[in-house]
Amino acid sequence: MADKSNQPLFSEFPPVSTREWMDKVTADLKGADFDKKLVWKTNEGFSVRPFYREEDLEKLKYLDSLPGEFPYVRGTKTHNQWWVRQDIVVTDISEANNKAREVLAKGINSLGFFIENEKLITKENIAKLLKDIISDEVELNFIAPHGNKELLKLVSEELKSNKNAKGSVDFDPLGKLTISGSTCVTVDELLDTAAEIVDEGKALPGFQTITVNAKHFNNAGATIVQELGFGLSMGNEYMAQLTSRSKSADEAANSIRFNFGVGGNYFMEIAKLRAGRILWAKIVEAYKPSNEEVIKMHTHSETSEWNKTIYDPYVNMLRTQTEAMSATLGGTDSLTVVPFDKIFRQPNVFSERIARNQQLLLKEESYFSKIVDPSAGSYYIENLTDSIAEEAWKLFVEVEEKGGYIAALKEGFIQSKVKEASNTRIKDLARRKDTLLGTNTYPNNLESVSQSISEDKVFTAPEEGNTVEPILLYRGAEEFEALRLATEKTGKRPKVFMLTYGNLAMRLARSQFAGNFFGCAGYEIIDNLGFDTVEAGVEAAKKAGADVVVLCSSDDEYTTAAPAAFKALNQEAIFVVAGSPACMDDLKSQGIEHFINVRSNLLETLQGFNKMLNIQ
């Protein structure tokens, strides 16, 4: 008997060429346009095909590189261990230290200390804060809106006996200018301070002391390409400014860490981190560093706030889980999973525990830390990586042609691009082209959250009189949430009565659609099994005290049923027809004004109903 152990797997199946696949797809489309039907036009500026083949990898030049090798598309390390980070707000030094030691015992190995009060930055306090937690196995990160130079100096003194200490200081004057529009001193003075901080950081070679908070673009609704392109531009601005202040390319590059946001576009986010490493290596290489080790990108990732919601907040856990997967599969150096409730209150013990365990589940139970760059070789992800890199580089070059990041920011170019992208995403949510589960589709309309929201979580607009126009940090759900919060504050939820009549399948489908539609504003939905006559349905609606009556039937039946129901209701409630029937113009001529359907702008329509119902 012949030995088949060395035979190719599936050798009995003949290869199928791309031409044959396309012929089959074209036949199945029955004349429909392939590009319009099956090619995805992304917000990032490129198209994604429905399938990719081996020949699509031929143009990619980096495929032979290994993890830890230039251009670092496959990661800057030969392993996929990442720092599991939790941030702690420091208001009381002893409490913060106790909490740090507690979470270190629960699987965290990276700490972020947020010190808002500059008066807490003293030698004694820093020593007390770091007591019993300094270790080669713990990464230490410090975020302070003020006093970064003094903070770094005190941290350096405290860690002087530990030359292997790793971590960061979040000094990002350009990032602060981007989101606030102003600075306490001139930008040049802040960049002088950045150079001094780089000097101070030499005592801690494992620390990055300058941060590029590209996450701000993510949290403002920018596209993935914009987050990467503008983030790289900011990083290059720091490189240029530091080297012009007598810092070597090595010193400047080693001091910079990128903080990326990670959104819900699963494969795109994986590809973004891979593309980012390629492009940063290309940028730093132009400064002629002493060795390839210098051009490795240092990355921290943080789950996005743009797609998080106040209503149905436990869905945020599902969102952060896929985002954590994208970040870790993409090869981030460290990761913060933001607790699901952070956007509307101070996270509690439960939400912080869940956030920690989401990472630990990936690391210890799903073994994500055991394989480096598992997406390597994927026809789809490799092409996404290349497309994102290409588009982000175009944007980077465009900023550089305007004189660099600061010049482009002063001109308003960056803000206009981000605003345009954010507005597009908001419109997609309003029209339900994009989905936020529990907010613009399938809402839990019985939910009440106004008592759960902390006052300090209420959004306030940036102050006027800024040096530059700031980008607006904004969540996609905010306008929908404003609708529901306004409804809650009235203390009386409007009643929406489903007048179901006629064709069984159509009335059920349309009542479900309408209930979902009005539920997004927090209205009370009164559904029904069906009425023999529209008059009987109107009578039941009046008895129920309905504020809105929605006729749910078939298009053919609307011709007679809608005028009859409208007349019987006699303007005692707002009358709505579910659907977009061919007889719509005729119905409008009879005084029927309101129609809802899949092409309706959900947000604007509900804002109109709130106004009609005197809900402010």
Side-chain angles (χ1 to χ4, degrees):
M1 186 175 180
D3 180 15
K4 297 183 179 181
S5 61
N6 61 350
Q7 295 299 308
L9 193 62
F10 302 131
S11 58
E12 63 269 30
F13 296 103
V16 180
S17 69
T18 300
R19 181 70 264 163
E20 289 174 290
W21 273 113
M22 284 301 301
D23 289 343
K24 177 61 178 171
V25 171
T26 303
D28 288 347
L29 284 173
K30 298 178 180 178
D33 187 275
F34 174 84
D35 288 335
K36 290 182 178 178
K37 275 285 186 181
L38 297 180
V39 175
W40 170 29
K41 308 291 184 181
T42 73
N43 291 333
E44 279 66 30
F46 59 88
S47 297
V48 175
R49 302 200 304 275
F51 67 90
Y52 289 89
R53 305 270 293 171
E54 186 176 6
E55 60 258 33
D56 293 313
L57 300 182
E58 292 175 358
K59 63 177 181 177
L60 306 182
K61 300 176 181 178
Y62 56 76
L63 291 179
D64 291 335
S65 66
L66 296 173
E69 290 183 357
F70 181 86
Y72 306 111
V73 62
R74 300 203 59 196
T76 58
K77 313 179 292 285
T78 55
H79 58 78
N80 198 34
Q81 294 290 337
W82 70 90
W83 296 100
V84 179
R85 176 168 157 181
Q86 179 172 330
D87 290 346
I88 297 171
V89 177
V90 181
T91 54
D92 180 278
I93 296 296
S94 295
E95 287 181 7
N97 175 261
N98 289 336
K99 184 171 183 177
R101 288 188 287 111
E102 179 184 337
V103 299
L104 286 172
K106 294 179 178 179
I108 290 294
N109 60 7
S110 176
L111 296 165
F113 292 111
F114 183 83
I115 309 173
E116 187 168 15
N117 186 349
E118 188 176 358
K119 293 179 181 178
L120 292 176
I121 302 174
T122 66
K123 180 177 177 62
E124 180 184 0
N125 282 343
I126 297 302
K128 189 185 297 184
L129 181 64
L130 299 182
K131 183 181 179 183
D132 297 329
I133 64 174
I134 297 173
S135 166
D136 291 353
E137 307 303 318
V138 178
E139 186 191 54
L140 300 171
N141 304 278
F142 300 88
I143 308 98
H146 310 286
N148 286 275
K149 185 179 175 183
E150 179 64 19
L151 173 61
L152 179 58
K153 181 179 179 180
L154 295 175
V155 169
S156 297
E157 290 177 6
E158 193 62 30
L159 299 177
K160 61 186 176 183
S161 62
N162 189 341
K163 295 300 182 183
N164 295 320
K166 295 178 177 61
S168 68
V169 173
D170 192 327
F171 185 66
D172 182 18
L174 297 183
K176 185 176 180 181
L177 176 64
T178 302
I179 61 172
S180 69
S182 61
T183 55
C184 53
V185 297
T186 67
V187 174
D188 277 341
E189 287 178 283
L190 286 170
L191 292 169
D192 289 341
T193 302
E196 293 169 5
I197 283 177
V198 169
D199 279 335
E200 191 68 51
K202 291 177 184 178
L204 295 171
F207 264 60
Q208 289 82 53
T209 52
I210 305 297
T211 299
V212 175
N213 278 302
K215 68 175 184 178
H216 294 328
F217 302 110
N218 186 295
N219 289 330
T223 67
I224 283 173
V225 162
Q226 287 173 347
E227 180 186 7
L228 186 55
F230 292 145
L232 291 168
S233 295
M234 195 190 300
N236 185 55
E237 188 75 59
Y238 281 128
M239 286 292 297
Q241 295 290 344
L242 290 170
T243 52
S244 71
R245 287 166 170 79
S246 303
K247 303 300 122 191
S248 69
D250 289 21
E251 290 170 338
N254 282 330
S255 69
I256 295 174
R257 174 183 291 207
F258 285 80
N259 282 3
F260 287 111
V262 187
N265 199 331
Y266 184 71
F267 293 110
M268 286 271 200
E269 292 290 356
I270 295 173
K272 177 184 76 181
L273 293 175
R274 302 174 88 244
R277 290 191 291 268
I278 298 173
L279 298 183
W280 183 241
K282 184 175 182 179
I283 290 168
V284 177
E285 192 177 31
Y287 286 87
K288 303 189 184 311
S290 62
N291 58 76
E292 287 188 350
E293 188 72 19
V294 175
I295 64 180
K296 291 181 176 180
M297 181 184 242
H298 304 285
T299 57
H300 174 69
S301 297
E302 184 177 298
T303 53
S304 176
E305 290 191 5
W306 197 89
N307 62 347
K308 302 308 182 291
T309 60
I310 292 173
Y311 285 93
D312 222 345
Y314 295 113
V315 179
N316 292 337
M317 295 184 194
L318 303 179
R319 297 179 180 122
T320 53
Q321 191 64 59
T322 62
E323 290 161 3
M325 291 170 69
S326 294
T328 52
L329 292 175
T332 189
D333 295 319
S334 61
L335 172 65
T336 297
V337 173
V338 177
F340 74 91
D341 54 352
K342 184 185 175 184
I343 60 168
F344 60 90
R345 69 184 181 198
Q346 188 66 34
N348 56 32
V349 173
F350 171 74
S351 62
E352 288 186 341
R353 176 191 173 200
I354 291 295
R356 282 194 303 271
N357 288 347
Q358 285 179 272
Q359 290 201 60
L360 296 178
L361 183 149
L362 296 179
K363 199 169 196 177
E364 307 298 342
E365 297 187 31
S366 301
Y367 305 112
F368 276 33
S369 61
K370 303 298 182 184
I371 302 175
V372 186
D373 192 26
S375 53
S378 161
Y379 304 155
Y380 178 49
I381 296 179
E382 293 290 10
N383 274 276
L384 283 185
T385 301
D386 183 63
S387 295
I388 290 172
E390 183 178 348
E391 295 301 320
W393 186 254
K394 287 179 186 176
L395 187 59
F396 170 80
V397 169
E398 193 172 359
V399 172
E400 293 309 302
E401 288 174 347
K402 292 181 178 295
Y405 185 85
I406 296 174
L409 194 68
K410 288 181 177 178
E411 181 185 318
F413 171 77
I414 292 170
Q415 300 92 319
S416 65
K417 287 289 187 181
V418 172
K419 187 183 293 185
E420 181 184 355
S422 178
N423 287 342
T424 298
R425 294 180 71 183
I426 290 167
K427 287 176 184 177
D428 286 346
L429 288 173
R431 294 184 175 277
R432 296 205 277 195
K433 185 178 177 181
D434 198 4
T435 298
L436 278 178
L437 188 65
T439 297
N440 73 342
T441 189
Y442 301 121
N444 175 4
N445 62 317
L446 299 177
E447 187 179 18
S448 177
V449 305
S450 57
Q451 300 302 315
S452 305
I453 302 174
S454 300
E455 286 298 320
D456 64 343
K457 297 296 181 180
V458 177
F459 172 77
T460 55
E463 296 181 4
E464 296 183 359
N466 296 307
T467 305
V468 299
E469 178 191 355
I471 65 169
L472 180 63
L473 301 183
Y474 184 87
R475 290 183 300 104
E478 284 189 27
E479 289 187 90
F480 283 99
E481 290 165 354
L483 282 172
R484 291 194 63 172
L485 286 169
T487 302
E488 281 189 36
K489 290 174 182 177
T490 64
K492 180 182 179 298
R493 297 167 62 219
K495 294 180 179 180
V496 181
F497 188 92
M498 300 298 152
L499 201 170
T500 49
Y501 167 78
N503 183 286
L504 178 63
M506 291 305 300
R507 78 190 192 207
L508 289 176
R510 282 178 163 160
S511 66
Q512 184 181 41
F513 169 81
N516 189 19
F517 192 99
F518 284 102
C520 293
Y523 298 173
E524 180 183 346
I525 308 301
I526 304 173
D527 207 350
N528 298 281
L529 295 177
F531 297 95
D532 293 333
T533 65
V534 291
E535 290 78 9
V538 169
E539 187 63 30
K542 291 180 179 179
K543 189 177 292 185
D547 299 286
V548 179
V549 175
V550 185
L551 179 61
C552 304
S553 188
S554 66
D555 286 4
D556 292 340
E557 290 166 307
Y558 280 148
T559 306
T560 55
F566 181 64
K567 182 179 179 181
L569 191 59
N570 194 29
Q571 297 187 344
E572 293 182 43
I574 300 170
F575 182 66
V576 180
V577 174
S580 180
C583 62
M584 185 187 295
D585 289 339
D586 183 51
L587 296 180
K588 285 181 177 179
S589 70
Q590 298 179 59
I592 299 172
E593 300 178 43
H594 307 296
F595 298 82
I596 59 170
N597 53 69
V598 293
R599 289 186 295 277
S600 298
N601 184 307
L602 175 65
L603 180 63
E604 290 181 1
T605 304
L606 291 178
Q607 287 171 335
F609 278 105
N610 263 18
K611 189 173 182 179
M612 285 185 276
L613 293 164
N614 295 315
I615 298 173
Q616 302 299 326

